[in-house]
Amino acid sequence: MMESAEFGDVWLYFWVFLIAAGTYLIRLSFIYWFSDRTPNVQTQRVLSFIPAAALSAIIFPAIVNQGGELAISFDNHRLFALLVALVVAWLTKNTLAVLGVGMATLWVIDFLL
Amino acid sequence: MSFNRSAFNRGVAHVSPLIPGVIPFGLMAGAVPVEAGVSPAMAVFMSVFVFAGASQLAIVQLVSDNASYVTILLAALVINLRFAMYSASMAPHFKGLEKPSRLYSPYLLTDQGFALSVNHFNDCQGPYYKLWYYLGISLPLWVLWQVCTLTGAILGAGIPPEWSLDFAIPLVFLSLVVPAVKDRSMLVAALVSAVVATAIYPVSSSTAILAGALSGVVSAYAFDRIYGYDGVC
């Protein structure tokens, strides 16, 4: 159960299938089962926090921590490129622009330094 | 169940402008996993069964980090919990449909399908008009997603590691988070989550995501209670 995941592992199919089943049940939830029970405003509000919180928790740790320790400096190319992309995301709200500028920034810094 | 061509065509017309934004995301969903070491078959398997890009990319990143399977399961489902919100918004519109339609249509539920549908629906439309409008959005997106994933998975094998394609994962997430932060409480959710997850990550990368997300949601809720939330999104 608690063993760590690996790409070559056949069990990965099993776990991805569980994720797929769970995701389907979440999508099904109100449309199929509870069509009479719309969640109240408080519950909807709490649900609305989840995307921002969950995605932030995935974005930052792996980039801010490099080699097992905090790496907040210009030597951390990915952190710098991420901050540039953050500004672009805030200004444009455009996925393509964020991807393009973020990747290009990383390539340029990697090439120059 | 009978096909409502005009509703379907209207859905297709409304989703068309979003297609250029979906293509690169779909290519990523195929190329990034393959580049990270997943087989092309697994990349396609995820797109067909999970059919939710953000969680697919999260799975890839967490497997790269050697997180435990349980953590990956929980993290992916937490990311996809937003579909419960969408499902709740769609439910009143689909209430008049017979069971089979309410059983298969949620599989196709996406951010785009939800947003366009809820914007377009009004009280003058019947449930079958609404279903076919939603399918006019969702079916093209599904086909496009599968074609792009397959293409990305095939091309991904040829992309050299120096291109740092894995960096596309946090970038895509960033482009999803920033528009989602619509008020101060949302900002609290994102910031607290980022700080807590980053602090815990060196100790346990598996715990970091869930602890971060949970503390972000709790802090945002507390912020709402203290500073008030007027109910306007």
Side-chain angles (χ1 to χ4, degrees):
Chain A
M1 279 289 275
M2 293 311 289
E3 75 265 41
S4 58
E6 282 171 54
F7 284 129
D9 193 351
V10 185
W11 280 101
L12 186 56
Y13 278 94
F14 170 74
W15 286 95
V16 169
F17 184 77
L18 284 188
I19 291 169
T23 302
Y24 171 65
L25 294 179
I26 292 170
R27 285 169 158 144
L28 198 64
S29 58
F30 288 96
I31 292 176
Y32 192 74
W33 288 307
F34 328 121
S35 55
D36 294 321
R37 274 176 283 169
T38 315
N40 62 26
V41 176
Q42 286 294 347
T43 311
Q44 289 189 33
R45 182 73 176 150
V46 170
L47 283 172
S48 76
F49 295 141
I50 292 174
L55 292 176
S56 289
I58 295 176
I59 297 170
F60 294 96
I63 288 178
V64 177
N65 291 288
Q66 297 285 338
E69 51 191 276
L70 276 183
I72 303 177
S73 76
F74 283 109
D75 293 338
N76 186 344
H77 299 177
R78 288 183 171 220
L79 180 59
F80 184 79
L82 189 77
L83 293 178
V84 172
L86 180 64
V87 175
V88 174
W90 188 58
L91 292 176
T92 69
K93 308 221 189 304
N94 181 321
T95 304
L96 272 184
V98 174
L99 264 177
V101 173
M103 293 303 299
T105 307
L106 183 64
W107 291 333
V108 169
I109 311 175
D110 276 348
F111 180 74
L112 291 179
L113 300 177
Chain B
M1 194 56 214
S2 62
F3 181 44
N4 183 333
R5 183 177 298 276
S6 73
F8 186 84
N9 287 346
R10 191 160 294 166
V12 173
H14 288 181
V15 78
S16 316
L18 303 186
I19 286 174
V22 175
I23 291 174
F25 199 12
L27 290 172
M28 291 292 167
V32 171
V34 171
E35 171 72 19
V38 178
S39 67
M42 176 50 115
V44 172
F45 181 82
M46 284 198 287
S47 272
V48 170
F49 284 92
V50 182
F51 188 52
S55 62
Q56 290 173 226
L57 289 178
I59 294 169
V60 173
Q61 175 164 338
L62 292 174
V63 177
S64 303
D65 285 355
N66 289 112
S68 73
Y69 284 118
V70 177
T71 307
I72 298 173
L73 174 74
L74 292 176
L77 292 182
V78 164
I79 290 171
N80 290 340
L81 257 185
R82 70 186 188 286
F83 292 121
M85 211 164 45
Y86 301 166
S87 185
S89 308
M90 299 291 286
H93 300 290
F94 282 1
K95 218 173 148 185
L97 298 172
E98 89 288 14
K99 282 193 168 186
S101 299
R102 285 191 288 138
L103 208 52
Y104 76 78
S105 60
Y107 160 66
L108 296 167
L109 192 58
T110 55
D111 300 283
Q112 294 89 346
F114 149 77
L116 289 174
S117 296
V118 170
N119 266 330
H120 179 72
F121 290 164
N122 63 51
D123 292 344
C124 306
Q125 303 154 342
Y128 284 93
Y129 173 92
K130 289 173 175 173
L131 174 69
W132 284 104
Y133 175 82
Y134 164 83
L135 293 176
I137 294 164
S138 307
L139 285 174
L141 281 178
W142 188 87
V143 172
L144 185 71
W145 188 250
Q146 307 309 334
V147 170
C148 288
T149 308
L150 188 60
T151 311
I154 293 166
L155 297 178
I159 298 173
E162 300 85 69
W163 284 23
S164 312
L165 203 60
D166 58 317
F167 188 56
I169 301 179
L171 289 177
V172 167
F173 288 165
L174 197 64
S175 72
L176 296 174
V177 166
V178 172
V181 175
K182 287 176 191 143
D183 56 46
R184 290 186 304 168
S185 301
M186 302 272 187
L187 187 62
V188 169
L191 288 179
V192 170
S193 167
V195 170
V196 170
T198 302
I200 295 177
Y201 189 82
V203 184
S204 164
S205 57
S206 287
T207 323
I209 291 189
L210 298 173
L214 185 65
S215 60
V217 170
V218 170
S219 314
Y221 184 71
F223 191 88
D224 254 11
R225 297 304 292 262
I226 296 166
Y227 293 97
Y229 167 62
D230 53 13
V232 180
C233 305

